[in-house]
Amino acid sequence: MNELSSAHAASGEDRHASWLELFFDLVAVAGVAQIAHLLHDGGAAELGQYVLLFLAFWTAWICFTLYGNVAGERTHTRTVLAAMFCMAVMAAAVPGVHAGENGQARALALAYVVVRLLADRVWRHRREILVDWPAAQMSLGVIPWIVSLWAHEPARYWLWALGIALDLYVTFTVSARDIVESHRAHDRHERKRSSRREALLPVSVAAPDADHLSERLGLFVIIVLGEGVAQVIEAASEVPWNRRLYGLASAAFLLLVALWSLSFRHGYAGVPYLTARSLPARAALPLHCFLCGCLAALAAGLGAATEHLETLPAGTRWLLCASLAGYFLLTGVAALRQPGGTQRWLLSVVLPCCSLPLLIAGFGAGLGTVAVVWLLVAVTLWPTVYEGRRSGRAAPTARPEP
């Protein structure tokens, strides 16, 4: 691959999210809020829609997050704003998709297709290969979404799921050499179509700015945690204010604070117990996606719990507990990359923090709403308590390097 060259050199300057990127992230706020509301009914169908739409929305967001990360000051503002508009359409269409409206479902699918094609276009224009996330510039997973424009439910949802599965397949199986060959085939096709036979610029490898990317990923986690606060506030405005509400609101706030502490004071890019460069981007980005999905589900569960202060429905109890268990399961995956003491950490922290919420979900039918949330607070605080008790010894998951 003598055609490959490094696209970026270290500038020695600290980069932070630009005003355009922060403006773009406003769509993430709206999208997460709309998608999280799908879980208020607590049914299996709603859960399936939630998983599917969250993955699609996050995929669209990460495509342009990585573009802004690599392009820096050369980011095309109009292209990003076009993607932002399409993602806003996706967010607005979510309730209609849930209600089975064909018009909104087609609008969501079309907006997703446009976002993905825009992402593919910017990378081809830059003549760069995004090795860390090849799905951003390979449109295989978009094909089922295009076909779904003429499909009806439930076939539409199966096509969307196929598209997401193809993106995951590309992410974990396609190598840099495969992407280069794809670019070469595209170049040959363009030369045949062009009468001028112009020579094309050589392809280079895009090297993301790790610190800037971690900031953007962390901002997304903050958005999801903020959705938990928003869900409780919205629900609290519609129920009587009494002791149960005070107790639940206090527990929910403390739960979100504890999760924030684990994600940022003891984590990297919003992922607890992950350190810089401990995982390749191809593994770290899906980890971030699924962790944010668990947090958004937990936020929806807190909102639904606020609406049922006296008796917690079984579906809401399972939503709260299973999402927290999933959060700690992914925390365990991150901890596996840490040197020393991993086995003790997994047995003493990850195992109880995964199993206890599931036990509460399965056998906590007699518990009140407030009691369930406070028990989840105790589970979430356990890693901090455990580290405090071992303060005289080297922790297996030290804080990441600045």
Side-chain angles (χ1 to χ4, degrees):
M1 288 198 196
N2 52 12
E3 201 173 352
L4 299 178
S5 62
S6 176
H8 299 278
S11 62
E13 299 180 358
D14 292 335
R15 279 184 59 195
H16 296 284
S18 66
W19 295 117
L20 176 62
E21 289 172 321
L22 294 175
F23 187 41
F24 180 77
D25 284 347
L26 288 177
V27 177
V29 177
V32 170
Q34 292 283 66
I35 296 170
H37 275 90
L38 293 175
L39 294 174
H40 275 227
D41 295 336
E46 288 75 17
L47 179 61
Q49 286 183 345
Y50 167 80
V51 172
L52 188 57
L53 294 178
F54 188 90
L55 286 172
F57 194 85
W58 184 91
T59 299
W61 176 82
I62 197 62
C63 284
F64 276 87
T65 295
L66 288 168
Y67 166 59
N69 173 273
V70 173
E73 296 181 354
R74 296 184 178 181
T75 300
H76 291 175
T77 302
R78 286 179 296 180
T79 303
V80 174
L81 293 178
M84 182 179 177
F85 176 79
C86 291
M87 291 180 63
V89 172
M90 291 175 62
V94 168
V97 173
H98 177 53
E101 298 289 341
N102 287 329
Q104 283 89 329
R106 288 193 180 98
L108 187 147
L110 180 60
Y112 178 79
V113 169
V114 173
V115 169
R116 294 297 305 277
L117 293 180
L118 282 173
D120 177 74
R121 180 176 177 273
V122 296
W123 289 110
R124 290 192 181 277
H125 176 74
R126 291 183 60 84
R127 304 292 298 162
E128 289 181 318
I129 297 173
L130 190 63
V131 177
D132 292 326
W133 196 256
Q137 57 194 121
M138 300 188 72
S139 304
L140 179 63
V142 180
I143 296 175
W145 286 80
I146 296 175
V147 176
S148 75
L149 294 173
W150 295 273
H152 297 274
E153 59 179 15
R156 175 191 301 124
Y157 302 135
W158 287 110
L159 286 168
W160 291 358
L162 175 61
I164 297 296
L166 289 174
D167 281 335
L168 293 175
Y169 173 79
V170 167
T171 297
F172 291 111
T173 61
V174 174
S175 65
R177 184 180 296 274
D178 295 330
I179 304 175
V180 171
E181 292 301 325
S182 174
H183 274 270
R184 287 174 175 170
H186 181 267
D187 291 347
R188 288 193 294 268
H189 178 69
E190 289 298 316
R191 291 191 186 100
K192 290 179 181 179
R193 293 179 55 187
S194 175
S195 58
R196 292 177 295 177
R197 311 288 185 183
E198 294 180 348
L200 297 174
L201 295 175
V203 177
S204 61
V205 174
D209 185 320
D211 292 333
H212 176 263
L213 181 59
S214 71
E215 181 184 22
R216 295 297 310 283
L217 296 177
L219 287 172
F220 194 92
V221 175
I222 287 290
I223 288 171
V224 176
L225 289 173
E227 180 57 27
V229 177
Q231 290 268 351
V232 174
I233 292 174
E234 180 182 352
S237 66
E238 300 176 357
V239 298
W241 284 36
N242 51 35
R243 291 183 178 179
R244 285 194 180 93
L245 177 61
Y246 302 149
L248 179 64
S250 300
F253 181 73
L254 185 56
L255 178 62
L256 293 172
V257 168
L259 291 170
W260 164 81
S261 179
L262 288 175
S263 294
F264 292 97
R265 299 181 67 185
H266 303 278
Y268 178 75
V271 180
Y273 302 104
L274 182 69
T275 59
R277 304 175 184 85
S278 62
L279 280 176
R282 286 202 190 195
L285 290 178
L287 189 66
H288 175 271
C289 173
F290 294 128
L291 183 134
C292 288
C294 290
L295 288 177
L298 181 68
L302 290 174
T306 308
E307 297 173 354
H308 301 87
L309 291 172
E310 295 186 5
T311 303
L312 189 64
T316 303
R317 186 176 68 252
W318 272 102
L319 177 62
L320 282 168
C321 297
S323 57
L324 189 64
Y327 174 88
F328 280 108
L329 178 62
L330 295 173
T331 298
V333 174
L336 286 173
R337 303 292 300 184
Q338 307 304 322
T342 300
Q343 183 175 3
R344 171 175 287 188
W345 175 260
L346 292 176
L347 293 176
S348 302
V349 175
V350 176
L351 180 61
C353 288
C354 289
S355 58
L356 287 177
L358 297 179
L359 291 174
I360 295 171
F363 301 99
L367 297 174
T369 302
V370 179
V372 168
V373 179
W374 274 108
L375 285 173
L376 296 182
V377 170
V379 171
T380 308
L381 290 175
W382 170 240
T384 304
V385 173
Y386 176 80
E387 284 194 344
R389 294 177 62 181
R390 301 181 65 233
S391 58
R393 302 171 58 183
T397 50
R399 291 185 184 180
E401 299 175 359

